[in-house]
Amino acid sequence: MKNVVNNLMKRIIFIVSMCLLIIGFCEDCYAANATIKMSSNKKEVEVEEVIEVCIDIESEIDITEVRASIIYDTSMLELVTSSQTITETNGYLDLKDVTEDGKLRTYIIEFKALRNGITQVDFADAPVIIGSDKNKVTAGYTSVYIEVNGEEDKEDELEKLRISPGKLNKKFSPDLFEYSMSVDNDITDVVINAKAKSDRATIKITGDEELKVGTTKVKVIVEAEAGNKKEYIIKVKRLSKDEQKAKDKANKIAERKKRVAIYEDENVIYMENDAQFEVLEIKESDAMKIPIDYKKIKLDLYGIEVDACVLESEKENDIILIYAKNTENGHKGYYSYDKVEKTIQRYFGDTLSIAGDKSKELFEKQEYEDNIRKLSIIIGFAVVLFIVAVIIIIKLSSDIKNIKNDNYLI
């Protein structure tokens, strides 16, 4: 009997202990509650009017931290000011408050209404509230709707219009509604960058994808808030394969003209500076006699092989001689082409100043020899004059002497 009583008492004590433990555990699991209310000072506002949104938090225990992310339609509302604990990030408003200041919190956000319509300011996710016990506080929250009224905007023109790749045939103007351009054969889509004058207008673009060969109309339609529309048309011509080849050839020739002033057209090589020259093959003839100290070579000139003459004594020739015909006046002869300066000038043999120390020496030697020949001629002529003068003087002296003798005999 005594054992039965003891066992019964143990069971009672165990049950009471478990109950007390469960009660204590439940007390620890209890979470404080809070309410979060979002409201506005006006339910209806006019366009351009400022509206105030208030976030009020009330908790059963002291608050140590508040975190929340607030979203709104940036096309309808523009942020004006907010509490110091709220910052704007990528179209969101981040609220982070870690001050310990009792059970109440209030945050103020001011927006400016941009256009007509109904919009909402809301929390992106459930706000997080941390209580003084370091636990999350369970919180219910609300959002706010705002109706914006006012006169509907009738502005339906573009402020900017750009297209890529390519370029419009004329400068964009809001009151010019038709443009044209061309794109290469490998382009199938274009990118339109259009901005309306009014932020309250909408833009629709059609025809900018899957371009066909030929002309496609790309339309940029601007619809004002009031419903009126304006349409801008861009006629985009996608080149055919043949047109692309012709364009590439023309660009190649133009680039060569610009870069090195030498190009090939229908198997004829041309060089251009102030005039156009047709480069000819150098043949061994009197008309094409290779200048002294030069030699004929085949020269790869910027990807085009030409006949040229270069100084035998020079390893690197920045100046070369080309036999060519001036297409304007028909003159044929040697022309000096400077690969560095990219200039062409007529070659006049030894009178042309040629680059290089050796060339300079040859020129100075030839000039010296010419001067010696000229000096020899002058000296020879002077000697002849001197001899003639001596003969004349001797003759005159002899005649005078004879006259004096004759007078003496008389």
Side-chain angles (χ1 to χ4, degrees):
M1 183 69 179
K2 187 175 181 181
N3 290 334
V4 173
V5 172
N6 290 334
N7 290 334
L8 182 61
M9 290 298 296
K10 289 180 181 179
R11 289 180 182 180
I12 292 172
I13 292 171
F14 176 76
I15 292 171
V16 171
S17 298
M18 291 300 296
C19 289
L20 291 173
L21 181 63
I22 291 171
I23 292 172
F25 180 76
C26 289
E27 285 182 352
D28 290 338
C29 290
Y30 171 78
N33 292 319
T35 58
I36 303 175
K37 181 181 179 182
M38 186 183 291
S39 61
S40 60
N41 62 335
K42 299 177 183 177
K43 293 299 181 183
E44 295 184 9
V45 293
E46 301 290 330
V47 174
E48 298 296 321
E49 189 177 352
V50 174
I51 185 171
E52 186 179 278
V53 174
C54 180
I55 300 173
D56 291 306
I57 301 176
E58 184 176 354
S59 173
E60 293 179 347
I61 62 175
D62 288 345
I63 300 171
T64 59
E65 184 177 353
V66 178
R67 296 195 306 271
S69 182
I70 303 158
I71 55 174
Y72 64 98
D73 186 347
T74 56
S75 68
M76 291 281 295
L77 300 174
E78 178 183 323
L79 178 66
V80 178
T81 60
S82 63
S83 301
Q84 292 182 352
T85 53
I86 298 177
T87 57
E88 186 175 21
T89 306
N90 298 326
Y92 289 83
L93 295 179
D94 289 330
L95 190 163
K96 187 174 182 181
D97 184 4
V98 294
T99 59
E100 298 183 10
D101 190 19
K103 302 177 181 180
L104 303 176
R105 291 284 193 279
T106 298
Y107 307 99
I108 304 296
I109 308 171
E110 287 186 342
F111 296 101
K112 182 174 73 173
L114 298 178
R115 61 183 178 88
N116 292 350
I118 297 176
T119 187
Q120 181 184 18
V121 181
D122 198 1
F123 293 103
D125 300 298
V128 176
I129 299 175
I130 306 298
S132 56
D133 59 356
K134 306 302 180 183
N135 293 319
K136 288 185 180 180
V137 177
T138 303
Y141 58 93
T142 62
S143 60
V144 63
Y145 286 89
I146 301 168
E147 184 175 354
V148 183
N149 299 312
E151 184 178 353
E152 292 184 329
D153 190 354
K154 297 181 179 180
E155 181 58 71
D156 59 0
E157 288 188 346
L158 286 178
E159 180 181 328
K160 294 180 181 179
L161 177 62
R162 294 177 182 173
I163 187 167
S164 178
K167 185 178 180 181
L168 298 176
N169 65 320
K170 52 192 171 184
K171 185 178 180 181
F172 171 74
S173 176
D175 55 359
L176 294 178
F177 301 98
E178 190 167 312
Y179 303 85
S180 63
M181 60 172 293
S182 64
V183 295
D184 290 345
N185 177 259
D186 62 344
I187 301 299
T188 58
D189 300 327
V190 290
V191 178
I192 305 295
N193 184 358
K195 181 182 179 183
K197 286 185 176 180
S198 172
D199 293 335
R200 294 152 70 180
T202 58
I203 297 175
K204 181 181 178 181
I205 300 172
T206 63
D208 55 324
E209 298 178 346
E210 298 182 0
L211 299 174
K212 305 297 183 184
V213 172
T215 301
T216 301
K217 284 187 178 181
V218 177
K219 296 181 179 180
V220 181
I221 303 167
V222 185
E223 183 175 355
E225 186 182 39
N228 50 299
K229 301 177 182 179
K230 274 194 173 68
E231 187 175 273
Y232 294 82
I233 296 176
I234 307 171
K235 295 179 179 179
V236 181
K237 180 181 179 182
R238 180 185 169 195
L239 299 180
S240 66
K241 291 183 178 180
D242 290 338
E243 290 172 327
Q244 187 65 53
K245 288 180 182 179
K247 178 185 175 182
D248 291 343
K249 181 179 179 181
N251 288 342
K252 190 174 182 180
I253 292 173
E255 180 62 26
R256 283 180 173 175
K257 286 182 179 181
K258 178 181 177 181
R259 179 168 54 90
V260 297
I262 181 169
Y263 60 97
E264 186 174 2
D265 187 18
E266 297 182 355
N267 297 322
V268 179
I269 300 172
Y270 294 97
M271 300 181 72
E272 284 193 9
N273 199 314
D274 295 331
Q276 185 187 62
F277 302 89
E278 179 184 343
V279 179
L280 303 174
E281 182 182 355
I282 298 177
K283 300 177 180 179
E284 297 295 337
S285 66
D286 291 339
M288 294 187 184
K289 188 174 181 180
I290 297 174
I292 298 173
D293 297 321
Y294 280 84
K295 63 179 180 180
K296 175 188 171 183
I297 64 169
K298 288 287 187 180
L299 181 66
D300 187 328
L301 195 59
Y302 307 107
I304 299 177
E305 188 178 82
V306 298
D307 282 356
C309 292
V310 297
L311 282 168
E312 293 180 329
S313 59
E314 295 291 326
K315 293 182 179 180
E316 295 183 3
N317 288 273
D318 290 332
I319 295 180
I320 61 175
L321 296 185
I322 302 291
Y323 196 82
K325 179 179 74 173
N326 188 314
T327 58
E328 295 179 4
N329 56 31
H331 173 268
K332 293 182 179 180
Y334 281 103
Y335 289 84
S336 172
Y337 177 66
D338 189 326
K339 293 192 294 182
V340 176
E341 298 296 331
K342 299 182 178 64
T343 58
I344 306 171
Q345 58 180 319
R346 190 171 174 182
Y347 176 69
F348 291 100
D350 293 335
T351 60
L352 176 67
S353 177
I354 304 171
D357 294 338
K358 183 64 179 176
S359 301
K360 184 176 180 181
E361 291 177 5
L362 291 172
F363 176 78
E364 291 176 349
K365 179 181 178 182
Q366 185 64 42
E367 185 179 35
Y368 175 76
E369 291 175 352
D370 289 343
N371 290 335
I372 291 296
R373 283 196 296 269
K374 292 176 183 178
L375 183 60
S376 299
I377 293 172
I378 293 172
I379 292 174
F381 185 70
V383 169
V384 171
L385 288 178
F386 177 75
I387 293 172
V388 171
V390 170
I391 293 172
I392 293 172
I393 292 171
I394 293 173
K395 178 65 173 156
L396 289 174
S397 298
S398 177
D399 290 343
I400 292 171
K401 185 177 181 181
N402 290 335
I403 291 171
K404 286 183 178 180
N405 291 334
D406 291 342
N407 290 334
Y408 178 77
L409 293 173
I410 293 170

